[in-house]
Amino acid sequence: MTEQDQTSLGNPQEIRVTHLEWSVNVDFEATIFRATATYQMERVNAKANVLNLDTSHLMIESVSNPEDGSALQYKLVKNEKEHLGTQLSILLPPGAKRVAIAYRTTTASSAIQWLPPSQTAGKRHPYLFTQCQAIHARSMLPCQDQPGVKMTFDAHVTVPSWAVSVMSGVLVRKDEAADVSVFHWTQKVPVSSYLIAMAVGEITKKDISDRCAIWSEPALVDVAADEFAQSEEFLQIAETIAGTPYVWGRYDLLCLPPSFPYGGMENPCLTFVTPTLLARDRSLADVVAHEIAHSWTGNLVTNATWDHFWLNEGWTTWFQRKIMARIHNDDRFLDFDAIGGYKTLQDTMKEMPTQYQSLVLPIGDNDPDDAYSSVAYEKGFNFLYSLEKRVGKASFESFFQAYVKSFASKTLTSEDFKDFFLEHFKGNSAVAGIQWDKWFYEPGMPPEVPTFDRTLSEASEKLAEEWVDVDQKFAPEPKTDIKGWTSPQITCFLDSLQARTASKPLKLSTLKAMDDQYNFSQSQNAEILFRFCEISIASEDQSMLMVIVYFITSQGRMKFVRPLYRALHESEMGRDLAVDAFLKNKDFYHPICAKMIASDLKLTVAKPNDDVVDSSSDSYWKMAVLVGAVAVAATFIFSRRK
Ligand SMILES: [Zn+2]
């Protein structure tokens, strides 16, 4: 079912795009794409003759009918809400089924990050990668930028001959010319615009199975291939749990430079991951299980709008934990991981505005980036797990398979989910009394919490208790040797310690004793270092400032940098330092990350000047009017969204 999506200025309820033919010339010198997007369309309303697309900071050069090359009239209207961008309205000739838009991106594109050679491992060539979720695809190509619209695509990407292009599709072939290469890609499973992704750079790959390869810069490819060596195994387990085969053909994984803003992004055929997962012990591979899970929940079965983001992320978190429990062949791992997730959710509730604490997010026409948090993931997981506890594990897992089968290649809302669930379990008394409205619409922590099996977290929690005793009762330091502990056990210890010291931070002497024993400040594991930095900031430990600043300026994963910038900014010792470190390094971060940190620190960051787009839109329209389109203009109705 399609809901009106207020985060898009497109009109799929009238005319819907169904296939994209995309030619992109990557210009590293100007840091722009010169491109043509040719769409096939389907008229939902037979009388409709205007196609509306989303754009943001794009320079539209021409719009034409690809059948005869004739120019088509169009208009650009900038929305008053900047994150929504500029609506491109194209007047279509009767019966037209295709339209071609020649355009170029500008340096203000929020989807594309252009890295100078200095920000790559190889230091020889520049690099670019894109990140379109949630509504940034419009700054890369004109499109109906809403998850409710799915399309297939073919792409032709021209890059300098030293470079390799990778995409969220399957490679058809590569052509070589004098000093460029052209990579031809196809995606035959319909996808939403937020899943179109590309990276270009000095990239190489290492195969780990017939359908899986690990891509990265040459210097990191062996390390990355070893870290993610279990991907094929994860994929096979995921197929068993989902009850349907993996439909995307290849499953490749691209390990990006350090400014990649997320842990992973589930781009079809090619998961993007942060190098902060390279712990050298495969201990952070649950992120890969998460991205693989998205091949079913998210990419195949998709939230109708960002208001229902939990259907993507809650399901995927549930699915990821099922995969990891099977890898360990022990269901207690699911609960162990969920305990950590519950702590993350508690932390999130302290930061997020009440408005975005509910499962169904009332985003309206606001920026979905502002609504993004662990709520969709962890409250979503807890909801699904509470349903599983009601009906039993076997019944719920077979319900999951029915759900995937029924909604594959479709999109759905929370109400669609509820209807499907109740229909599936019709007559089952266990589903009576589910507090649907409380779960869906009320802010705050979940209305009911499944009881988690705590046997795997006991040792971690006990150790945390002992360190609190050291701090408060001058007890002797615990002698527990954690060398053999897995990184989730250690992060569980640190989580538990944080929860116990939330109102009374640890003394500096306690922190020092702990670090002398465990060496957390030198940890190569980003999850461990992150938590130790948080604990140190809470204790105003100035001896950790250099470590903290290095950590938040050498990688740009929002999960780590945003809470640390915020905590530093709120601390006595780091208020000015946080602002200073950000301003000195803001170009290092991906535009989405820079925007979010600036907002966390209450700063305004000047954007690259590309206002040329808006002034030209007027002159294009005036030109159209001059060539006799006055009558056409009169029939145009530009409805502004509420
Ligand atoms: Zn996810």
Side-chain angles (χ1 to χ4, degrees):
M1 197 184 88
T2 311
E3 266 189 2
Q4 173 76 22
D5 188 334
Q6 296 179 65
T7 64
S8 166
L9 307 173
N11 63 339
Q13 64 285 3
E14 300 270 313
I15 299 176
R16 174 175 285 257
V17 300
T18 56
H19 179 79
L20 164 70
E21 186 90 22
W22 193 30
S23 295
V24 183
N25 204 317
V26 173
D27 184 340
F28 272 109
E29 261 160 47
T31 60
I32 56 167
F33 291 173
R34 300 172 200 282
T36 303
T38 304
Y39 280 109
Q40 269 171 32
M41 308 160 285
E42 178 185 281
R43 277 185 171 69
V44 181
N45 169 1
K47 289 185 188 152
N49 65 343
V50 175
L51 171 69
N52 289 339
L53 301 174
D54 293 288
T55 75
S56 173
H57 300 289
L58 297 181
M59 172 70 91
I60 306 296
E61 286 164 349
S62 69
V63 180
S64 62
N65 178 353
E67 311 307 331
D68 58 11
S70 60
L72 299 180
Q73 283 144 12
Y74 66 95
K75 178 166 181 169
L76 289 157
V77 178
K78 187 170 182 161
N79 194 277
E80 61 198 18
K81 292 214 164 183
E82 191 183 344
H83 59 269
L84 295 183
T86 299
Q87 183 183 51
L88 167 61
S89 295
I90 302 167
L91 186 68
L92 300 171
K97 291 195 172 61
R98 295 204 305 150
V99 62
I101 305 141
Y103 69 97
R104 54 189 171 84
T105 61
T106 63
T107 51
S109 167
S110 55
I112 314 171
Q113 190 180 14
W114 301 84
L115 303 178
S118 61
Q119 278 192 43
T120 66
K123 314 271 182 231
R124 292 198 303 169
H125 296 292
Y127 192 109
L128 79 86
F129 67 88
T130 66
Q131 168 59 43
C132 289
Q133 196 178 30
I135 58 166
H136 299 279
R138 65 192 65 179
S139 73
M140 183 170 87
L141 81 164
C143 57
Q144 287 182 330
D145 198 9
Q146 44 184 293
V149 176
K150 292 191 175 192
M151 61 190 160
T152 50
F153 69 78
D154 291 302
H156 317 282
V157 184
T158 304
V159 300
S161 47
W162 58 262
V164 168
S165 120
V166 286
M167 261 202 90
S168 54
V170 173
L171 182 67
V172 178
R173 66 169 203 283
K174 174 188 172 188
D175 295 332
E176 305 209 23
D179 48 7
V180 295
S181 306
V182 187
F183 291 78
H184 302 274
W185 300 91
T186 189
Q187 181 51 268
K188 298 214 181 310
V189 183
V191 294
S192 312
S193 55
Y194 77 92
L195 292 171
I196 301 175
M198 186 198 296
V200 181
E202 190 181 16
I203 307 171
T204 187
K205 71 163 173 168
K206 199 165 171 179
D207 289 317
I208 57 168
S209 78
D210 288 347
R211 57 179 170 176
C212 296
I214 309 300
W215 295 83
S216 78
E217 290 191 73
L220 280 175
V221 76
D222 287 329
V223 175
D226 185 64
E227 197 81 38
F228 306 122
Q230 293 162 294
S231 301
E232 174 64 41
E233 196 187 340
F234 287 176
L235 201 49
Q236 289 177 16
I237 292 173
E239 286 181 306
T240 316
I241 297 170
T244 48
Y246 181 76
V247 299
W248 306 89
R250 288 208 62 87
Y251 180 78
D252 288 358
L253 204 145
L254 172 68
C255 185
L256 285 127
S259 63
F260 183 63
Y262 293 98
M265 177 63 208
E266 65 270 23
N267 299 313
C269 306
L270 183 71
T271 286
F272 282 20
V273 290
T274 161
T276 62
L277 299 184
L278 300 174
R280 310 295 203 269
D281 60 3
R282 301 185 185 174
S283 59
L284 304 180
D286 57 340
V287 172
V288 176
H290 181 94
E291 307 312 330
I292 285 176
H294 269 308
S295 306
W296 288 267
T297 49
N299 297 3
L300 202 57
V301 178
T302 312
N303 49 217
T305 70
W306 298 117
D307 289 4
H308 308 282
F309 189 43
W310 77 272
L311 286 167
N312 276 19
E313 296 302 346
W315 266 121
T316 300
T317 304
W318 175 88
F319 193 0
Q320 157 209 336
R321 289 182 176 145
K322 290 278 170 182
I323 296 172
M324 296 313 287
R326 297 233 185 159
I327 286 274
H328 293 292
N329 202 17
D330 185 343
D331 272 350
R332 292 178 308 162
F333 276 87
L334 189 147
D335 288 46
F336 178 59
D337 202 36
I339 291 168
Y342 199 76
K343 152 86 170 48
T344 307
L345 185 60
Q346 287 172 317
D347 290 347
T348 300
M349 290 304 180
K350 288 178 207 144
E351 298 292 338
M352 283 310 273
T354 319
Q355 179 192 7
Y356 294 137
Q357 292 180 0
S358 51
L359 216 42
V360 179
L361 297 164
I363 296 174
D365 60 0
N366 294 321
D367 186 347
D369 285 344
D370 292 335
Y372 178 86
S373 80
S374 76
V375 168
Y377 296 71
E378 297 297 345
K379 200 171 182 177
F381 166 82
N382 276 285
F383 178 49
L384 294 168
Y385 200 38
S386 77
L387 297 179
E388 174 174 330
K389 294 273 178 180
R390 276 172 180 268
V391 300
K393 182 183 164 194
S395 298
F396 194 74
E397 289 186 358
S398 71
F399 161 72
F400 173 59
Q401 298 193 347
Y403 168 76
V404 169
K405 252 189 207 86
S406 184
F407 290 101
S409 284
K410 295 183 191 150
T411 63
L412 79 158
T413 64
S414 304
E415 289 296 328
D416 295 333
F417 169 79
K418 178 182 167 185
D419 293 346
F420 185 76
F421 180 88
L422 290 176
E423 182 60 32
H424 185 93
F425 288 106
K426 209 172 182 172
N428 185 333
S429 59
V431 306
I434 297 170
Q435 305 180 74
W436 293 96
D437 285 353
K438 265 204 158 111
W439 275 105
F440 280 179
Y441 305 112
E442 283 194 3
M445 291 303 282
E448 51 188 293
V449 191
T451 29
F452 299 122
D453 179 316
R454 305 193 87 91
T455 49
L456 290 178
S457 59
E458 257 169 21
S460 304
E461 288 172 9
K462 180 168 165 280
L463 185 60
E465 195 55 53
E466 286 172 9
W467 277 102
V468 173
D469 284 348
V470 172
D471 199 65
Q472 292 170 8
K473 299 180 191 157
F474 303 101
E477 284 166 31
K479 292 286 172 258
T480 314
D481 183 4
I482 63 166
K483 275 212 179 69
W485 284 27
T486 62
S487 90
Q489 282 177 291
I490 299 173
T491 53
C492 177
F493 156 64
L494 292 169
D495 280 348
S496 173
L497 190 63
Q498 273 184 298
R500 285 172 162 81
T501 57
S503 55
K504 193 166 187 295
L506 291 170
K507 295 191 186 84
L508 295 181
S509 55
T510 312
L511 272 183
K512 185 175 179 310
M514 192 184 300
D515 199 33
D516 285 347
Q517 254 199 62
Y518 307 139
N519 223 4
F520 288 147
S521 62
Q522 307 296 313
S523 179
Q524 297 296 303
N525 184 306
E527 294 286 349
I528 294 172
L529 183 59
F530 165 61
R531 285 165 176 79
F532 193 65
C533 289
E534 284 192 313
I535 292 171
S536 304
I537 295 172
S539 296
E540 302 275 347
D541 183 355
Q542 298 197 18
S543 71
M544 278 289 290
L545 280 174
M546 262 172 65
V547 173
I548 296 163
V549 171
Y550 180 76
F551 184 52
I552 59 178
T553 56
S554 58
Q555 51 80 34
R557 184 175 173 189
M558 290 196 285
K559 173 184 178 181
F560 300 142
V561 294
R562 288 189 61 196
L564 288 176
Y565 265 112
R566 277 199 302 259
L568 211 51
H569 191 55
E570 282 159 19
S571 73
E572 292 280 324
M573 65 177 184
R575 181 158 309 141
D576 298 337
L577 187 63
V579 174
D580 196 43
F582 172 66
L583 292 177
K584 280 200 180 102
N585 292 281
K586 67 181 173 11
D587 293 336
F588 164 78
Y589 300 108
H590 186 277
I592 298 172
C593 179
K595 171 182 81 172
M596 299 317 291
I597 301 174
S599 133
D600 291 340
L601 301 184
K602 316 215 162 26
L603 300 169
T604 37
V605 178
K607 294 204 178 60
N609 182 11
D610 76 327
D611 277 351
V612 62
V613 173
D614 299 312
S615 54
S616 72
S617 70
D618 260 0
S619 56
Y620 273 115
W621 187 247
K622 276 181 202 131
M623 234 155 55
V625 173
L626 281 176
V627 296
V630 179
V632 171
T635 64
F636 255 57
I637 298 163
F638 292 103
S639 55
R640 173 162 289 147
R641 275 151 208 280
K642 284 182 227 59

